């Protein structure tokens, strides 16, 4: 128990540069308080004391603004930064060394009593406001950008952004780091990249049109011999044939 508390405090020091003392962490970090309330509630829940588990969880939610269902499974060194508005559902599973920022939801997409919440493997980082909905796995070392909505499985070491979330960066597996390297301001922007590609194609087309225009301006357009002959024939006057009545009148005159 005391070993877990020591790990939790060290996790705050490792991942929050604003932390200055153990006393400050113990009394002023609601994410840490929520994790401790969860552990008590989960202890009741695993011993089928469901009401006590839910009631303890409810007290933790009232005091911290963080709702963690006592049925969820959470590993070691779990850290919630800021924390307000975080919701973790009953069948969610969270590995070791996971970091979650405020406003994150680990939610379900069905009312059936089955596995309906996501599984986060080790070293996952979830940016503020992200929603991860459904019973799929977010792979080891993955990063979810702020305000993303993720509805399908995320491969290991991938970076996901957007609504719906799409993997925009796939990194090679690297050694475990105590401090997450998610930089919210440096995440790729897939929409901006797509628009940039369209502009590149438009510029290439404009260049081709200009080259064709110059080529046509420098040449005299001459008709083909067959077309010239046809036009000359059409321009010649054609002799009109006399009608039978005109021929008779001419014969009488003679």
């Amino acid at each position: 128990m005391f070993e877990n508390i020591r790990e939790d405090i060290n996790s705050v020091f490792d991942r929050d540069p604003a932390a200055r003392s153990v006393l400050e962490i113990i009394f002023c970090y609601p994410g840490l308080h929520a994790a401790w309330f969860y552990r008590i509630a989960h202890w009741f829940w695993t011993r089928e004391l469901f009401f006590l588990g839910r009631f303890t969880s409810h007290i933790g939610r009232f005091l911290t603004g963080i709702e963690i269902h006592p049925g969820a499974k959470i590993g070691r060194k779990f850290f919630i930064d800021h924390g307000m508005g975080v919701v973790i559902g009953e069948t969610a599973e969270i590995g070791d060394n996971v970091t979650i920022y405020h406003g994150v939801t680990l939610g379900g997409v069905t009312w059936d009593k089955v596995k309906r919440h996501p599984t986060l493997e080790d070293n996952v980082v979830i940016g503020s406001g992200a929603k991860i909905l459904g019973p799929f796995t977010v792979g080891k070392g993955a990063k979810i950008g702020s305000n993303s909505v993720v509805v399908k499985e995320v491969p290991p070491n991938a970076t996901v952004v957007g609504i719906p979330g799409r993997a925009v960066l796939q990194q090679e597996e690297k050694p475990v780091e105590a401090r997450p390297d998610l930089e919210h301001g440096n995440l790729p922007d897939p929409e901006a990249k797509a628009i940039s590609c369209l502009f590149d194609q438009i510029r290439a087309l404009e260049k081709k049109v200009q080259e064709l225009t110059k080529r046509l301006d420098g040449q005299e357009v001459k008709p083909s011999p067959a077309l010239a002959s046809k036009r000359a024939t059409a321009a010649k006057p054609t002799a009109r044939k006399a009608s039978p009545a005109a021929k008779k009148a001419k014969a009488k005159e003679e």
Side-chain angles (χ1 to χ4, degrees), residues 148-219:
S148 299
V149 178
V150 184
V151 293
K152 61 183 180 180
E153 190 160 333
V154 177
N157 303 302
T159 298
V160 174
V161 298
I163 302 174
R166 295 180 177 86
V168 295
L169 189 65
Q170 183 79 40
Q171 297 177 340
E172 296 180 358
E173 188 172 357
K174 50 188 179 180
V176 176
E177 298 177 0
R179 179 178 298 175
D181 60 355
L182 177 64
E183 297 182 9
H184 299 275
N186 294 330
L187 290 176
D189 187 343
E191 293 182 1
K193 185 177 180 181
I195 293 171
S196 177
C197 290
L198 288 174
F199 278 128
D200 291 340
Q201 292 179 6
I202 291 171
R203 282 192 288 268
L205 290 172
E206 287 177 345
K207 186 177 180 181
K208 288 183 178 180
V209 170
Q210 290 173 359
E211 290 176 355
L212 290 172
T213 303
K214 289 179 180 178
R215 191 178 301 172
L216 290 173
D217 289 343
Q219 294 178 356

Side-chain angles (χ1 to χ4, degrees), residues 5-6 25 27 31 34 54 75 110 118 137 148 159 184 187-188 198-199 240:
I5 293 173
R6 188 179 297 109
I25 291 172
F27 286 99
R54 287 303 301 269
T110 179
T137 299
S148 299
T159 298
H184 299 275
L187 290 176
L198 288 174
F199 278 128
R240 297 178 61 184

Side-chain angles (χ1 to χ4, degrees), residues 136-150:
F136 53 84
T137 299
V138 178
K140 184 177 180 180
K143 301 174 182 63
I144 311 299
S146 298
N147 294 316
S148 299
V149 178
V150 184

Side-chain angles (χ1 to χ4, degrees), residues 8 35 38 61 68 72-73 102 122 143 147 152 170 216 219:
D8 293 337
Y38 157 77
R61 177 180 180 272
I68 305 176
K73 299 177 182 178
H102 55 282
D122 299 344
K143 301 174 182 63
N147 294 316
K152 61 183 180 180
Q170 183 79 40
L216 290 173
Q219 294 178 356

